[in-house]
């Protein structure tokens, strides 16, 4: 597993976010085992305490669960939970920012709707 | 296992002050970074902790026991240093035996495995190896020796990229199998910033900063935008350094930001890394002038 890191967020949050992304996109399926703190920290050369903190974040969100003596597993319903959380933050993360930027650029509501329609027909945008 | 207390350590050679009143504690089972520029006094400090040299003032205590002339305490510390204290023609295998004789319980199995990873023959004489392979051989001993506090002075000296990878991986492996305290003393910060949990920064013979890496990085903000706005926003904050390009300024702040401060529209906040924090803290630091 290869993770990409940047400096904008604390390392443990980045670890949590990347594991979450892999669960969301099906890289780790529900019920399957994810790499242990031990494996992750040895492979990524990251202090075990940092990895554990990231892992605990996923546990407290109910996305992964610890099975005694066996390791960490993706919790049932994890994908749906991530989906729901992302829908909830979609308004704040995307819509609000879009409107702020559009306002700065003097883009009207009508023009904005036109642009969205254009995007829907844009062959270069892959899903 | 008890805490190691470094208590008001000062070291002078004649009038030259090498360490000036350093105090800090090392907890059992943690990986620390001891950071400082060349000549800051890192090696002197490690030599004092392991009683290779004596401080002019101050004490080293494990729990409440003084380290000086106390074999039970000194037997808990292992120092891997740049200096070669081995007799001429010492083979790598003999280094293992010496560590076993001094500390007992040397992990030969781990050591043999590490030698293979590093590609060092156990029959080789240390002094005949290249700088990088000498470091690899010494690291092999340090990661297999039976001591509670393992101090590594310039652990990646001369190691190539592949061997550095092996070192970081094996350090974390052995640490997880058998948690003990490691101190990595280095000025190569970029590579160790995610391995160490807590760092001490020494500059100009003083301890200038210590803390958990994440807590330190949480206070390290790069604030950029129009000079006037950045100056206003950072007024009263601790600014370690700043870059100016035309009308745009980036201020490297080392401070908590409270919510009371109103962020001007055109000012952006980001973070900078441990390497830069170290550079700014040990460069004398500039103020808002």
């Amino acid at each position: 597993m290869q993770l990409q890191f940047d400096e904008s967020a604390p390392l443990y949050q980045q670890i949590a976010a990347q594991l979450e992304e892999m669960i969301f996109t099906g890289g780790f399926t529900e019920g399957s085992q994810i790499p242990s703190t031990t494996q992750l920290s040895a492979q990524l050369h990251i202090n075990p305490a940092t990895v554990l903190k990231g892992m605990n974040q996923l546990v407290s969100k109910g996305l992964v669960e610890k099975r005694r003596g066996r390791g960490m597993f993706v919790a049932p319903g994890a994908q749906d939970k991530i989906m729901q959380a992302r829908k909830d933050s979609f308004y704040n993360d995307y819509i609000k920012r879009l409107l702020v930027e559009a306002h700065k650029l003097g883009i009207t509501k009508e023009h904005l709707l036109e642009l969205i329609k254009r995007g829907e027909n844009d062959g270069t945008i892959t899903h | 296992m008890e805490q190691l207390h470094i208590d008001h350590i000062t070291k002078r050679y004649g009038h030259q002050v090498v360490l000036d009143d350093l105090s800090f504690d090392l907890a059992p089972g943690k990986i620390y970074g001891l950071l400082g520029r060349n000549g800051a006094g890192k090696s002197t400090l490690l030599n004092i902790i392991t009683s290779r040299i004596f401080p002019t003032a101050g004490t080293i205590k494990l729990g409440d026991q003084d380290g000086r002339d106390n074999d039970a305490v000194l037997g808990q510390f292992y120092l891997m240093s740049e200096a070669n204290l081995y007799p001429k023609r010492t083979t790598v295998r003999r280094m293992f035996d010496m560590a076993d004789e001094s500390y007992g319980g040397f992990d030969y199995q781990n050591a043999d495995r590490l030698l293979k990873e590093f590609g060092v023959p156990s029959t080789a004489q240390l002094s005949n190896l290249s700088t990088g392979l000498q470091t690899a051989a010494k690291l092999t001993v340090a990661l297999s020796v039976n001591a509670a506090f393992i101090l590594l002075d310039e652990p990646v000296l001369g190691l190539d990229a592949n061997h550095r990878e092996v070192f970081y991986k094996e350090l974390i492996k052995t640490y997880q199998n058998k948690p003990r305290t490691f101190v990595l003393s280095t000025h190569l910060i970029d590579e160790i910033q995610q391995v160490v949990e807590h760092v001490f920064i020494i500059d100009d013979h003083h301890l200038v900063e210590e803390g958990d890496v994440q807590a330190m990085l949480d206070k390290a903000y790069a604030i950029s935008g129009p000079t006037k706005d950045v100056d206003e926003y950072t007024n009263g904050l601790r600014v370690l350094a700043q870059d100016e390009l035309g009308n745009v300024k980036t201020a490297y702040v080392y401070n908590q930001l409270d919510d009371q401060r109103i962020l001007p529209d055109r000012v952006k906040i980001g973070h900078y890394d441990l390497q830069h924090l170290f550079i700014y803290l040990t460069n004398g630091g500039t103020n808002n002038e």
Side-chain angles (χ1 to χ4, degrees), chain B:
Chain B
M1 183 48 58
E2 314 211 55
Q3 292 236 341
L4 176 65
H5 306 290
I6 287 113
D7 195 13
H8 295 287
I9 290 291
T10 293
K11 180 67 181 176
R12 281 191 296 269
Y13 289 107
H15 288 292
Q16 196 199 348
V17 178
V18 184
L19 293 172
D20 190 6
D21 197 23
L22 260 73
S23 295
F24 59 86
D25 293 341
L26 295 178
K30 252 188 172 182
I31 305 180
Y32 291 95
L34 177 63
L35 313 178
R37 301 179 67 182
N38 289 324
K42 304 186 296 288
S43 299
T44 305
L45 180 63
L46 296 180
N47 279 307
I48 288 175
I49 293 175
T50 48
S51 265
R52 286 191 190 172
I53 58 177
F54 292 112
T56 308
T59 56
I60 304 289
K61 280 185 177 169
L62 185 61
D64 53 10
Q65 289 192 60
D66 202 315
R68 195 188 280 234
D69 295 327
N70 185 334
D71 286 345
V73 170
L74 292 178
Q76 306 285 338
F77 306 144
Y78 182 82
L79 171 59
M80 179 204 116
S81 70
E82 213 182 301
N84 250 336
L85 303 176
Y86 292 99
K88 249 191 178 172
R89 286 204 279 270
T90 303
T91 61
V92 175
R93 166 61 56 171
R94 178 76 194 117
M95 290 164 72
F96 293 178
D97 294 340
M98 288 165 81
D100 190 49
E101 285 156 19
S102 306
Y103 293 87
F106 186 79
D107 190 344
Y108 282 94
Q109 210 184 343
N110 188 55
D112 285 334
R113 194 179 54 79
L114 275 178
L115 276 193
K116 278 208 191 89
E117 288 253 355
F118 282 127
V120 178
S122 66
T123 50
Q125 291 178 16
L126 183 66
S127 53
N128 288 344
L129 296 171
S130 68
T131 310
L133 291 187
Q134 286 194 18
T135 300
K138 289 186 205 171
L139 282 174
T140 298
V141 175
L143 296 182
S144 310
V145 73
N146 181 23
F149 292 85
I150 302 190
L151 316 176
L152 306 172
D153 195 3
E154 297 297 352
V156 296
L157 186 82
L159 290 189
D160 63 25
N162 305 50
H163 280 173
R164 291 204 300 275
E165 287 268 313
V166 172
F167 165 60
Y168 295 124
K169 187 182 78 198
E170 292 296 334
L171 168 68
I172 286 176
K173 240 194 216 170
T174 184
Y175 171 70
Q176 298 200 102
N177 288 339
K178 195 176 147 198
R180 50 214 197 275
T181 296
F182 288 91
V183 179
L184 278 58
S185 168
T186 182
H187 57 275
L188 298 170
I189 292 149
D190 206 24
E191 290 188 353
I192 65 151
Q193 72 166 342
Q194 55 190 38
V195 176
V196 298
E197 192 176 345
H198 189 107
V199 294
F200 303 98
I201 299 180
I202 298 183
D203 186 41
D204 197 21
H205 321 298
H206 293 84
L207 181 66
V208 291
E209 183 66 10
E210 89 156 276
D212 279 358
V213 175
Q214 195 53 59
M216 287 169 73
L217 292 179
D218 283 347
K219 296 194 290 181
Y221 292 102
I223 296 178
S224 56
T227 301
K228 189 174 129 316
D229 294 343
V230 169
D231 284 345
E232 238 164 71
Y233 183 76
T234 58
N235 184 30
L237 296 176
R238 185 174 176 202
V239 176
L240 299 179
Q242 38 200 4
D243 289 338
E244 234 174 323
L245 197 64
N247 241 348
V248 176
K249 187 186 226 178
T250 302
Y252 298 94
V253 165
Y254 190 53
N255 221 131
Q256 300 286 3
L257 298 183
D258 50 61
D259 297 337
Q260 262 68 12
R261 243 163 233 278
I262 293 159
L263 187 70
D265 239 11
R266 290 181 297 173
V267 172
K268 282 205 162 64
I269 297 189
H271 279 280
Y272 57 99
D273 63 7
L274 189 63
Q275 171 104 328
H276 285 91
L277 178 61
F278 170 78
I279 291 171
Y280 301 144
L281 281 172
T282 57
N283 250 349
T286 50
N287 294 314
N288 256 331
E289 67 244 63

Side-chain angles (χ1 to χ4, degrees), chain A residues 34-46:
Chain A
I34 64 169
S36 67
T37 305
T38 313
Q39 286 169 326
L40 279 176
S41 63
Q43 192 179 346
L44 303 170
H45 309 158
I46 294 176

